[in-house]
Amino acid sequence: MDFEAHNAEVREVWEAYHAGNPIRVPMTLGINPRLTLLDPKLNVDGTTFREYFEAPRIMWDVQLRHQHWVRHNLVHDSEMGIPDRWSVYVDFQNCYEALWFGGDLRYIAGNVPDVPPFVTDDRKWAFLDSGAPDPFGGWMARNWEYYEQFRAFAAEAEFHGRPVDVVSPTGLGTDGPFTIGCALRGATELCLDMYADPEFFDAFMGFITEATIERIRAYRERLGVPVATRTWGFADDSVALLSVSSYRERVLPYHRRLIEAFGPDGPNSIHLCGDATHLFPTIRDELKVNAFDTGFPVDHGGLRRTLGPDVFIYGGPHVEFLRGRTPAEVREETRRILESGVMEGGKFVLREANNLAPRTPEQNLAAMYRCCLEHGNYAGQTLQAGGGSG
């Protein structure tokens, strides 16, 4: 592949998109190191998540090898080939917040680690009475230890002849208060609390929300970045469990607290893996959100008609569809989505829904990209970089 030509086209596509005059739909992929750790074909050393979590040098090495493989094998609208600079970050996957609140890490063979719910009925008020965790304590102390070790590695190391930047520790964002609550309490238990013990539910959600706000503020201060912001992005996947009325009454107030702290002016963005599209109009209007990173199942054309042409939508074929079907089927599903009406307004980004699964065939992603090149073009627009780098 001609990486130089591909990268020139990628720059042109994204510049046009961000300028509000898109040439074609950009295609991106949500990828993290689990893609290579959980694929025996790629993880030839057999590195486990236990080793990845517990040894900063292994986490460093895995991330760099992972990036190198992605940059040479998975075609999408991202720079490919050797970069000017590599980047690493502290990565405790989606466990970090539950660990910070006091959960126990469980390693699972052939899967990502997990933190089982631990705030049981007999100790739920005692959990609140124990107070908010130290932003720099527990697993978050390890987070900062790894961050400092990465910075020391970066001062001395190169990878394929290029320097390495350390992007950040974990913990500057959040998976969302309701999702954290489900992780700590259990989804069934938390939903029962919502109706059977609303006093505890509100105290619990407020506790999580305020602790999260204080952690993010403390991290920004330590890193020397502005504490006050105008716009922000967050997630809260578990709200897909809720009706519009339940979301409005019981969870939206805590989302408002987060937005008031970090995105009071907007426009803001949100990532929601499941089918939470019934909540999108409320989230758009109440939280000044104008960008939705969607999951599945999603009616992309219907969502565009509901939200209108001025809202940014990210989405695409189901991850299991991409992993298990043929290239021809992937191409047809991608074409169906692109022709659904979701491209109206020029604010659609094609991606897998949502976070690429290990062992997804590269030829399926290539088929998705080729279909994007053929069916994701906007009328009257022409690529200057040559077009069709897939």
Side-chain angles (χ1 to χ4, degrees), residues 229-243:
T229 57
R230 296 169 55 87
T231 66
W232 193 53
F234 71 112
D236 210 341
D237 294 342
S238 294
V239 298
L241 298 169
L242 303 177
S243 67

Side-chain angles (χ1 to χ4, degrees), residues 135-296:
F136 305 105
W139 267 84
M140 289 310 192
R142 182 183 298 202
N143 171 37
W144 283 90
E145 174 190 339
Y146 282 25
Y147 176 65
E148 293 300 335
Q149 290 194 51
F150 282 4
R151 294 179 69 186
F153 297 161
E156 301 177 353
E158 289 185 338
F159 185 65
H160 287 273
R162 299 291 193 275
V164 182
D165 289 331
V166 182
V167 177
S168 70
T170 194
L172 282 161
T174 181
D175 286 335
F178 189 68
T179 298
I180 299 168
C182 288
L184 304 185
R185 182 85 174 97
T188 299
E189 289 76 9
L190 188 61
C191 288
L192 288 172
D193 287 336
M194 188 182 299
Y195 299 102
D197 194 353
E199 181 184 2
F200 171 77
F201 178 86
D202 288 334
F204 188 57
M205 288 288 290
F207 175 87
I208 292 170
T209 302
E210 292 307 316
T212 300
I213 290 171
E214 289 309 307
R215 184 194 72 228
I216 294 171
R217 282 178 174 159
Y219 282 21
R220 288 182 173 183
E221 289 173 355
R222 177 173 284 193
L223 291 168
V225 299
V227 173
T229 57
R230 296 169 55 87
T231 66
W232 193 53
F234 71 112
D236 210 341
D237 294 342
S238 294
V239 298
L241 298 169
L242 303 177
S243 67
V244 174
S245 60
S246 293
Y247 171 73
R248 275 188 170 276
E249 181 182 356
R250 310 319 305 268
V251 175
L252 178 60
Y254 304 101
H255 284 178
R256 283 201 185 104
R257 289 192 200 176
L258 289 168
I259 292 300
E260 287 166 3
F262 301 118
D265 298 324
N268 300 303
S269 61
I270 194 165
H271 164 94
L272 294 168
C273 277
D275 184 7
T277 54
H278 59 294
L279 304 177
F280 283 12
T282 301
I283 292 170
R284 175 197 61 195
D285 297 339
E286 299 290 343
L287 301 177
K288 300 178 183 177
V289 167
N290 81 331
F292 291 88
D293 187 16
T294 67
F296 57 85

Side-chain angles (χ1 to χ4, degrees), residues 319-375:
V319 286
E320 186 60 18
F321 191 99
L322 286 171
R323 193 194 67 81
R325 298 298 186 94
T326 66
E329 290 173 311
V330 168
R331 173 186 167 81
E332 179 57 27
E333 175 65 1
T334 304
R335 183 195 62 78
R336 184 191 67 78
I337 292 169
L338 290 169
E339 295 179 356
S340 68
V342 73
M343 290 173 56
E344 181 186 354
K347 292 180 171 61
F348 177 61
V349 175
L350 179 68
R351 64 165 294 176
E352 85 305 330
N354 189 290
N355 202 278
L356 196 64
R359 308 189 193 193
T360 299
E362 295 102 275
Q363 59 266 35
N364 283 3
L365 299 175
M368 182 177 169
Y369 190 61
R370 284 194 296 270
C371 185
C372 184
L373 297 177
E374 296 169 11
H375 296 276

Side-chain angles (χ1 to χ4, degrees), residues 70-85:
V70 168
R71 281 176 160 270
H72 290 82
N73 292 276
L74 299 187
V75 61
H76 56 299
D77 286 314
S78 182
E79 183 183 83
M80 297 187 72
I82 302 294
D84 292 335
R85 307 181 72 88

Side-chain angles (χ1 to χ4, degrees), residues 70-109:
V70 168
R71 281 176 160 270
H72 290 82
N73 292 276
L74 299 187
V75 61
H76 56 299
D77 286 314
S78 182
E79 183 183 83
M80 297 187 72
I82 302 294
D84 292 335
R85 307 181 72 88
W86 303 92
S87 62
V88 296
Y89 59 99
V90 182
D91 176 28
F92 294 129
Q93 299 280 303
N94 293 102
C95 299
Y96 73 95
E97 287 179 292
L99 289 171
W100 179 55
F101 278 106
D104 294 323
L105 187 62
R106 175 178 63 178
Y107 293 106
I108 306 169

